[in-house]
């Protein structure tokens, strides 16, 4: 009664003592616990704790806790009143009890059948479930900070989000950088969801973006906003600005935009030149392990180059020679007359298109009709056998066509160039989806050619002296090209076919000068499928399979003298082969990439033949088989036996095909009947393995090292050889911002092709030296070159750079024609004993393309000498057709924006040595071209003049020619128009 009137801790303690005296232990325990809770005096608490310990053996204790604490505890029924707030110790009589807990804002909870035992403590823990509702905060701007009931309190979430709040009215405070803050009230109901939608008004300012190149895309925080120059209304705050333009490195930088104010940024774009030929993967030119020059699509369009060879003229260290049939490419002093440019490897999107008979590097219309599909031409100087094997001896030229267009389009074009070359083309591109599509182009042309005067060498016999040295209307050709690409994600396929039939006006191979029935025909094509998935950041693979064809044939009219006798040679070569390349790239960490691969080629045919036809007046023509082996050694009539020559017939008489001692029409019948056996077939296989390690320890240092070996097997001919190890190592160092140093070294090889391995003239002594059991001569083997180079580039500004380079090439086992092409000294190919040493230096000052402006100035010095010619005059040691000095100036100026641009090129070459050890005259060639394009109709055009001054100059040509030099192109005109829609 006293406690009810005036509650206090002393009375509660006395109540506890009273219940203890009455032996009502549960009630005593209850009041002792209350007294302990209320007692602030630490000195008195031990007495209460002692009392609790004293009666605990007589009480069943239940310890009730809740999460969260503070809940009111009821025992068995609510109407009996609460026993206090959790956590709470309760004393009971033994038995089972129901524990009830209540806490405002939480659902009530009950625990049934809690068993209490005398002298023991039972713990009851209750997790209370809050009574809440859900507020779903959504709006137009993601990333908005949400606070509840307190504008300065901690953030509750970042919208869009869900908030769990107790029932009732709450106020939401919303804020985000660059926007005005906002407030919103919400009513929350228990166990329900209410949506709070918000919209923030942005704070904006002006962002002015200028770049040194027009029409560059401007993105703000990843969203395209316009093209340079641009004035953009954007949100205030810290913005991320990205400016990008095809062909240039994208630039990103931060800009702080202040509301109501103007912020200006000026960006200098730097041209992005990527090369694939140096490493078989796209990389920046400055990082590529080699000396690289890119002829961009802008230059190709501005100058209207009709051929690859014409595009290469004026490039540092590169020069060309036209012999009336083919255009040959020389790199750094090596384009020896008669080598068919087979020391240069020409690629189409990484696929070799060199001739497989003699290794000829196609660089004019024999490569393709025009360059309209070409996006760039990559030139990598120095050895490239590490990646491509044979032929990449002094350099690699990669023709890169258009990639994967993302829009529908079609186009047609016509053009005229050089000496009466007229061409037409059509192309179409169709994207099937974001990651798939195709494009296809077809082109064809006819060239009328030019007239030549070709003086005859002194010392020739009478039948050659009396020939007409004027070649008229005998330089014509026809050409056609089909190319296309199909792709789906990491799977792609490309097809290519080019055919050119060219009349031979020059008297090569002792043909009649000006007889337009003499022609060469080249057909080269392939179909390639590539699968290049990136399996993970660590591992990727490239699988490439291709089927190639190579067909060559010619007709050579040799003699036309007073007797009326005519002789014609028909040469043929056919090759069909399968190529497979498997490459793996492993990147265990970003600084290291390991590339390993294996490549194989299976040439199924590789067959050649030469047939000679002799025609006398009023007599049947007689066919003579020169290649393959002489007919008297064969079973010519298919009776199972090899006939001996008839009485009186010469064993060397290849014209008497049936060995009856008489050359007549029966021989022709046998010849035609034996067509399948008239080819000298040399099927062969190539197997190669290679590996490359690229290590980038820092942003300023890059190291690339690798090696390759190729094995050649001519099983039918008991002939095999390997290339030896072809290593390459490159160090790229960036000592400072704008500086780039490359130090490279390596070895390359050139394997002798079928033409050099098995051809020997005259054929009566066919191919000695290639059967190891019978040969007296040593077997011909691969050429080899050791190369070293240092190149340094200093960037004077974002558009201007200065380059200097020095190099050395040491060439051994060079393959050359030997013999006099007589029965006593037959002509053939052999490895020579005279090494060649090439020393050179190059310099180039270049302004990159900016708003249609471009300029470059280059100079090249090359000193190529034979080393083992003994004590002779230095002239005799000079390598033929190797100019020591070359210089070029190129530039483009916009006259009326893109609508009209003026491009010019001036190339200077010092004299070259011909086969008579006399030098040609130097040359100075000036070209001028006007070009432009319109955005409305998609029209692009060129008109210009090459060799404006009509400079007359000559270039050394092959020993197969009766002349020593060939007049190069004089003044020619260019006109083209292409319509894209």
């Amino acid at each position: 009664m006293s406690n009810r009137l005036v509650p206090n801790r002393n009375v509660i303690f006395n109540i506890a003592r009273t219940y203890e005296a009455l032996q009502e232990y549960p009630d005593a325990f209850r009041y002792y616990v209350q007294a302990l809770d209320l007692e602030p005096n630490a000195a008195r608490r031990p007495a209460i704790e002692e009392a609790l310990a004293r009666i605990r053996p007589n009480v069943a204790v239940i310890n009730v806790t809740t999460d969260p604490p503070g809940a009111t505890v009821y025992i068995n029924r609510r109407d009996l009143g609460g026993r206090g707030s959790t956590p709470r110790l309760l004393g009971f009589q033994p038995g089972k009890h129901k524990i009830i807990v209540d806490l405002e804002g939480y659902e009530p909870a009950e625990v049934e059948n809690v068993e209490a035992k005398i002298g023991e403590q039972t713990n009851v823990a209750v997790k209370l479930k809050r009574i809440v509702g859900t507020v779903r905060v959504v709006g137009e701007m993601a990333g908005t900070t949400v606070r509840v009931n307190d504008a300065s309190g901690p953030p509750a979430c970042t919208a869009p989000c869900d908030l769990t709040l107790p029932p009732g009215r709450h106020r939401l405070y919303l804020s985000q950088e660059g926007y005005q803050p906002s407030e919103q009230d919400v009513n929350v109901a228990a166990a329900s969801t209410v949506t709070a939608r918000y919209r923030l008004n942005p704070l904006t300012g002006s962002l002015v973006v200028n770049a040194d190149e027009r029409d560059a895309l401007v993105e703000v925080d990843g969203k395209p906003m316009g093209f340079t120059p641009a004035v953009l209304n954007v949100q205030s705050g810290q913005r991320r600005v990205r400016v990008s333009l095809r062909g240039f490195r994208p630039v990103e930088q931060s800009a702080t935009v202040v509301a109501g104010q103007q912020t200006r940024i000026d960006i200098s774009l730097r041209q992005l030149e990527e090369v694939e030929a140096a490493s078989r993967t796209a990389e920046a030119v400055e990082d590529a392990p080699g000396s690289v020059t890119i002829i961009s699509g802008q230059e190709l369009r501005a100058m209207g180059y009709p051929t690859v060879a014409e595009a290469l003229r004026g490039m540092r260290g590169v020069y060309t020679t036209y012999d009336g049939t083919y255009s040959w490419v020389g790199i750094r002093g090596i384009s020896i007359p008669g080598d068919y440019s087979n020391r240069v490897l020409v690629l189409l999107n990484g696929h070799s298109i060199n001739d497989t008979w003699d290794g000829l590097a196609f660089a004019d219309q024999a490569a393709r009709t025009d360059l309209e599909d070409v996006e760039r031409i990559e030139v990598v100087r120095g050895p490239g056998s590490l990646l491509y094997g044979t032929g990449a001896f002094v350099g690699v030229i990669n023709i890169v066509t258009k990639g994967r267009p993302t829009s529908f389009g079609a186009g047609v074009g016509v053009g005229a160039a050089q000496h009466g070359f007229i061409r037409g083309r059509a192309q179409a591109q169709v994207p099937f989806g974001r990651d798939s599509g195709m494009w296809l182009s077809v082109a064809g042309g006819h060239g009328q050619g030019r007239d030549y005067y070709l003086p005859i060498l002194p010392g020739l016999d009478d039948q050659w002296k009396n020939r007409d040295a004027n070649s008229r209307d005998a330089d014509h050709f026809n050409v056609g090209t089909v190319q296309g690409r199909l792709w789906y994600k990491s799977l792609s396929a490309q097809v290519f076919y080019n055919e050119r039939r060219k009349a031979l006006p020059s008297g090569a191979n002792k043909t009649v000068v000006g007889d337009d029935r003499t022609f060469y025909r080249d057909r080269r094509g392939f179909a390639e499928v590539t699968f290049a998935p990136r399996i993970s950041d660590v591992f990727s693979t490239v699988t490439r399979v291709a089927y190639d064809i190579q067909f060559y044939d010619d007709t050579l009219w040799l003699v036309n003298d007073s007797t009326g006798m005519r002789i014609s040679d028909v040469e043929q070569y056919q090759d069909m082969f399968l190529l497979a390349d498997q490459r793996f790239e492993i990147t265990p960490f970003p600084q290291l990439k390991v590339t390993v691969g294996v490549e194989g080629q299976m040439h199924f045919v590789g067959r050649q033949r030469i047939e000679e036809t002799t025609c006398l007046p009023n007599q049947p023509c007689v066919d003579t088989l020169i290649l393959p082996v002489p007919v008297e050694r064969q079973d010519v009539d298919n009776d199972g036996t090899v006939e001996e020559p008839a009485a009186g017939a010469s064993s060397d008489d290849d014209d008497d095909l049936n060995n009856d001692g008489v050359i007549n029409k029966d021989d022709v019948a046998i010849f035609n009947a034996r067509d399948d056996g008239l080819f000298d077939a040399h099927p062969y296989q190539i197997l190669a393995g290679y590996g490359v390690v690229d290590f980038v320890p820092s942003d300023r240092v890059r190291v690339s090292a690798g090696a390759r070996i190729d094995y050649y097997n001519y099983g039918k001919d008991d002939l095999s050889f390997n290339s030896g190890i072809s290593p390459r190592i490159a160090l790229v160092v960036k000592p400072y911002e704008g500086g780039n140093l490359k130090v490279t070294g390596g070895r390359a090889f050139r394997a002798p092709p079928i033409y050099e391995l098995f051809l020997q003239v005259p054929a009566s002594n066919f191919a000695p030296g290639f059967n190891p059991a019978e040969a007296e001569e040593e077997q011909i083997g691969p050429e080899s070159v050791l190369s070293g180079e240092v190149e340094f580039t200093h960037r004077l500004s974002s558009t201007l750079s200065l380059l200097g380079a020095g190099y050395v090439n040491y060439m051994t086992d060079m393959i050359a024609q030997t013999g006099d092409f007589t029965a006593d000294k037959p002509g053939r190919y052999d490895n020579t004993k005279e090494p060649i040493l090439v020393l050179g230096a190059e310099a180039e000052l270049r302004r990159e393309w900016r708003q249609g402006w471009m300029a470059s100035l280059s100079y090249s010095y090359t000193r190529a000498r034979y080393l083992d010619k003994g004590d002779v005059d230095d002239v005799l040691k000079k390598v033929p057709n190797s100019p020591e000095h070359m210089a070029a100036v190129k530039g483009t100026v916009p006259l009326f924006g893109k609508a009209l641009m003026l491009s010019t090129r001036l190339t200077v070459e010092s004299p070259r040595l011909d086969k008579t050890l006399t030098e040609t005259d130097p040359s100075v060639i000036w070209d001028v071209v006007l070009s432009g394009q319109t955005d409305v109709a998609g029209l692009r055009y060129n008109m210009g003049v090459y060799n404006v001054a009509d400079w007359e100059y000559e270039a050394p040509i092959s020993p197969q020619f009766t002349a020593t030099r060939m007049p190069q192109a004089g003044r020619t005109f260019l006109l083209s128009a292409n319509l894209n829609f």
Side-chain angles (χ1 to χ4, degrees):
M1 291 175 62
S2 174
N3 186 60
R4 290 174 183 171
L5 292 174
V6 183
N8 63 83
R9 62 182 184 278
N10 293 326
V11 174
I12 290 176
F13 180 78
N14 290 332
I15 292 173
R17 291 190 64 187
T18 301
Y19 276 122
E20 181 182 5
L22 294 172
Q23 296 185 356
E24 297 290 337
Y25 297 114
D27 290 328
F29 189 86
R30 172 186 175 187
Y31 282 98
Y32 276 131
V33 170
Q34 292 183 31
L36 185 63
D37 290 342
L38 296 173
E39 181 57 62
N41 190 343
R44 299 185 61 183
R45 291 178 65 88
I48 303 174
E49 293 171 348
E50 180 182 353
L52 283 171
R54 186 172 57 247
I55 67 173
R56 183 180 284 270
N58 302 308
V59 180
V61 179
I62 297 178
N63 180 30
V64 182
T65 60
T66 60
D67 182 16
T72 300
V73 181
Y74 301 90
I75 304 300
N76 297 322
R77 295 175 8 215
R78 283 186 173 85
D79 58 358
L80 297 177
R83 294 294 187 93
S85 300
T86 59
R88 176 62 57 187
L89 284 172
L90 300 174
F92 294 94
Q93 293 291 341
K96 293 185 177 181
H97 303 276
K98 178 166 72 174
I99 307 299
I100 303 170
V101 292
D102 278 344
L103 181 62
E104 185 179 359
Y106 292 84
E107 296 179 1
E110 297 181 357
V111 181
E112 301 279 356
N113 300 321
V114 177
E115 187 173 358
K117 298 180 180 180
I118 292 293
E120 296 182 9
Q121 178 176 310
T122 302
N123 295 321
V124 177
V126 181
K127 175 75 173 178
L128 297 178
K129 184 177 181 181
R130 192 176 184 183
I131 299 173
V132 295
T134 301
V135 178
R136 180 159 294 163
V137 186
V138 294
E140 296 177 355
M141 304 298 173
T144 299
T145 300
V146 182
R147 292 176 173 85
V148 181
N149 298 327
D150 184 359
S152 60
C157 69
T158 300
C161 59
D162 288 343
L163 289 173
T164 302
L165 298 176
R169 190 174 185 84
H170 300 274
R171 173 159 290 187
L172 305 181
Y173 296 89
L174 303 110
S175 63
Q176 185 172 354
E177 183 183 1
Y179 294 87
Q180 295 179 355
S182 175
E183 300 177 10
Q184 185 173 342
D185 291 333
V186 292
N187 290 314
V188 180
S192 64
T193 300
V194 60
T195 300
R197 298 185 182 276
Y198 69 92
R199 181 176 183 179
L200 301 180
N201 295 320
L203 299 171
T204 61
S206 294
L207 179 64
V208 180
V209 183
N210 283 319
D212 54 4
E213 194 75 20
R214 296 182 62 88
D215 301 325
L217 175 65
V218 180
E219 299 172 272
V220 179
D221 295 334
K223 181 179 179 180
M225 298 289 288
F227 298 90
T228 58
V231 180
L232 309 173
N233 188 32
V234 300
Q235 292 178 236
S236 62
Q238 195 76 9
R239 305 268 74 89
R240 191 67 182 170
V241 182
R242 186 177 190 268
V243 180
S244 60
L245 181 65
R246 185 177 182 182
F248 294 84
R249 294 178 182 273
V251 176
E252 292 188 15
Q253 69 179 60
S254 296
T256 302
V257 180
V258 180
Q261 298 183 21
Q262 187 180 85
T263 302
R264 182 185 183 93
I265 60 175
D266 295 300
I267 291 177
S268 179
L269 293 173
R270 181 177 169 186
Q271 195 167 20
L272 172 63
E273 289 188 323
E274 287 189 333
V275 59
E276 297 179 2
S279 300
R280 276 192 171 180
T281 185
E283 60 187 338
V285 168
E286 61 187 24
D287 295 330
S291 178
V292 178
T293 297
I294 303 294
I295 305 175
S296 67
Q298 292 169 300
E299 181 179 341
L300 294 174
R301 309 296 175 250
M303 287 296 297
Y305 298 130
T307 65
V308 173
E310 193 61 52
L312 296 175
R313 182 164 59 84
M315 180 180 293
R316 57 182 172 89
V318 181
Y319 59 101
T320 62
T321 303
Y322 181 63
D323 66 3
T325 309
Y326 298 103
S327 294
W328 312 117
V329 178
I331 297 181
R332 290 180 167 175
I334 298 300
S335 181
I336 300 174
D339 71 356
Y340 303 101
S341 284
N342 53 21
R343 296 180 176 93
V344 176
L345 185 65
V346 178
L347 309 172
L348 178 62
N349 298 319
H351 188 109
S352 172
I353 57 172
N354 280 44
D355 186 302
T356 62
W357 188 24
D358 50 23
L360 186 154
F362 296 114
D364 47 25
Q365 283 87 3
R368 57 190 309 112
T369 300
D370 58 30
L371 304 184
E372 291 299 325
D373 293 325
V374 178
E375 288 195 345
R376 68 180 185 272
I377 299 175
E378 306 170 349
V379 178
V380 183
R381 303 166 186 83
S385 293
L386 166 66
L387 298 175
Y388 303 106
T390 186
F393 196 75
V394 295
V396 177
I397 299 170
N398 188 28
I399 305 167
V400 181
T401 59
K402 65 176 66 177
R404 299 186 173 190
T406 57
S407 60
F408 288 90
V412 294
V414 294
Q418 297 174 323
H419 295 279
F421 174 56
I422 308 297
R423 65 169 179 83
R425 70 181 341 271
Q427 64 92 18
Q429 59 191 45
V430 181
F432 303 142
R434 181 178 179 181
D435 299 317
S436 61
M438 62 84 67
W439 64 264
L440 180 69
S441 69
V442 180
H446 171 74
Q448 295 179 351
R450 58 176 292 195
D451 296 337
Y452 292 93
Y453 174 74
L454 301 169
I456 306 304
L457 279 175
L460 295 176
D461 54 41
D462 290 341
Q463 70 172 355
W464 299 108
K465 285 183 179 180
N466 294 332
R467 296 183 311 162
D468 185 359
N470 290 288
S471 174
R472 301 179 180 87
D473 300 323
D475 193 31
H476 52 80
F477 66 91
N478 295 317
V479 62
T481 307
V482 178
Q483 186 172 1
R485 174 169 287 185
L486 177 69
W487 67 91
Y488 175 73
K489 294 186 177 180
S490 56
L491 180 67
S492 65
Q494 63 169 330
V495 294
F496 169 78
Y497 178 78
N498 190 78
E499 178 174 340
R500 188 190 72 159
R501 186 184 189 276
K502 175 72 172 64
L504 189 65
S506 54
N509 297 314
K510 297 185 179 181
T511 57
V512 177
V513 173
D515 191 332
D516 67 349
R517 293 177 300 172
T518 294
F519 71 89
Y520 288 169
R521 179 166 56 183
D522 295 279
R523 290 172 283 178
R524 187 72 169 89
F526 66 85
E528 178 185 85
V529 177
T530 302
F531 183 53
R534 185 159 190 86
I535 299 172
S536 68
D537 292 338
V538 175
F539 184 75
S540 63
T541 178
V542 178
T543 304
R544 185 169 61 107
V545 178
Y547 187 78
D548 284 49
I549 60 171
Q550 161 78 56
F551 298 121
Y552 168 83
D553 66 280
D554 65 33
T555 295
L556 310 177
W557 286 94
L558 305 179
V559 178
N560 183 11
D561 60 12
S562 59
T563 66
M565 181 179 70
R566 300 183 68 85
I567 300 175
S568 68
D569 277 353
V570 174
E571 298 177 323
Q572 290 179 301
Y573 176 74
Q574 300 172 357
D575 192 16
M576 292 173 282
F577 61 96
L578 183 68
L579 179 149
D581 181 18
Q582 179 62 62
R583 187 164 73 250
F584 300 99
E585 292 184 0
I586 304 169
T587 310
F589 47 90
Q591 293 79 17
L592 179 66
K593 182 176 75 172
V594 179
T595 303
V596 294
V598 62
E599 180 180 335
Q601 294 183 27
M602 181 173 291
H603 293 252
F604 304 108
V605 182
R607 60 183 189 173
Q608 59 185 348
R609 77 165 189 164
I610 301 176
E611 170 196 346
E612 184 175 281
T613 300
T614 303
C615 299
L616 294 174
N618 303 318
Q619 293 188 26
C621 294
V622 177
D623 293 327
T624 303
L625 182 63
I626 298 178
L627 286 179
V629 295
V631 179
E632 65 269 21
R633 302 179 186 175
Q634 302 182 24
D635 178 16
V636 295
D637 57 0
N638 295 310
D639 63 355
T641 61
V642 178
E643 293 86 345
E644 293 296 325
S650 170
S651 62
D652 293 333
D653 190 354
D654 299 337
D655 300 340
D656 183 16
L657 300 187
N658 60 2
N659 297 308
D660 60 359
V662 180
I663 301 174
N664 55 29
K665 62 182 180 180
D666 295 332
D667 298 290
V668 179
I670 293 177
F671 182 90
N672 294 331
R674 291 295 318 281
D675 187 64
D676 289 340
L678 296 180
F679 282 93
D680 177 38
H682 299 281
Y684 64 99
Q685 300 83 40
I686 305 174
L687 182 63
Y690 57 90
V692 183
V693 176
D694 294 295
F695 180 52
V696 187
S698 71
D699 293 338
R700 296 186 178 274
V701 178
R702 179 182 299 265
V703 180
S704 178
R708 171 181 173 127
I709 186 169
D710 291 66
Y711 174 75
Y712 288 73
N713 178 38
Y714 295 80
K716 170 181 174 293
D717 301 286
D718 296 326
L719 172 64
S720 63
F721 56 85
N722 64 67
S723 64
I725 301 296
S726 298
R728 185 190 70 187
I729 186 168
L731 173 66
V732 181
V733 180
K734 300 177 182 179
Y736 57 88
E737 187 67 26
N740 199 73
L741 173 67
K742 294 183 181 181
V743 181
T744 59
R747 175 188 180 273
F749 76 97
R750 187 183 72 86
I754 288 179
Y755 186 82
E756 296 177 1
L757 277 172
F758 300 102
L759 179 67
Q760 179 163 306
V761 179
S764 56
N765 297 310
F766 174 71
F770 301 106
N771 184 341
E774 301 177 0
E776 296 180 1
E777 296 87 351
E778 293 183 2
Q779 176 179 306
I780 188 173
E783 301 176 339
S784 178
V785 58
L786 295 176
S787 178
E789 179 176 4
V790 177
E791 179 184 279
F792 186 77
T793 302
H794 172 65
R795 186 164 290 278
L796 302 171
S797 68
S798 62
T799 61
L800 191 64
S801 61
L802 178 64
L803 178 146
Y807 61 88
V808 57
N809 293 323
Y810 179 71
M811 305 174 183
T812 56
D813 297 321
M814 302 294 284
I815 300 173
Q817 292 180 356
T818 61
D820 297 335
F821 293 86
T822 63
D824 295 332
K825 295 182 179 180
R828 52 167 289 174
Y829 284 89
D830 284 304
N831 296 108
T832 63
K833 304 300 183 182
E834 299 170 349
I836 295 177
L837 179 65
V838 182
L839 301 174
E842 298 168 353
E844 182 174 7
L845 178 64
R846 178 185 176 197
R847 185 193 187 276
E848 297 173 351
W849 285 89
R850 285 294 188 281
Q851 300 177 357
W853 294 80
M854 182 274 292
S856 71
L857 171 65
S858 65
Y859 168 75
S860 304
Y861 170 76
T862 303
R863 187 179 187 275
R865 296 291 187 272
Y866 290 102
L867 295 183
D868 292 339
K869 282 188 174 292
D871 187 14
V872 297
D873 186 87
D874 185 62
V875 173
L876 298 179
K877 293 185 178 182
K878 288 184 177 180
V879 174
N881 197 32
S882 178
E884 287 196 357
H885 303 277
M886 294 187 293
V889 179
K890 293 192 290 187
T892 299
V893 178
L895 302 179
F896 296 101
K898 295 186 296 184
L900 184 62
M901 303 172 67
L902 172 65
S903 299
T904 187
R905 175 178 59 175
L906 179 69
T907 60
V908 180
E909 286 186 10
S910 64
R912 312 184 198 176
L913 196 68
D914 65 19
K915 63 184 179 183
T916 63
L917 303 182
T918 58
E919 291 186 335
T920 65
D921 293 330
S923 65
V924 180
I925 310 300
W926 180 33
D927 310 319
V928 177
V929 178
L930 291 172
S931 63
Q933 63 184 62
T934 60
D935 295 330
V936 177
L939 175 66
R940 180 168 47 81
Y941 66 89
N942 297 86
M943 53 186 176
V945 183
Y946 286 175
N947 196 355
V948 174
D950 198 20
W951 189 284
E952 295 183 0
Y953 68 107
E954 298 175 322
I957 52 178
S958 168
Q960 287 95 332
F961 289 74
T962 53
T964 61
R965 306 172 182 179
M966 192 71 180
Q968 302 300 289
R971 183 187 299 116
T972 60
F973 298 90
L974 167 73
L975 182 63
S976 68
N978 292 275
L979 185 63
N980 298 295
F981 45 87

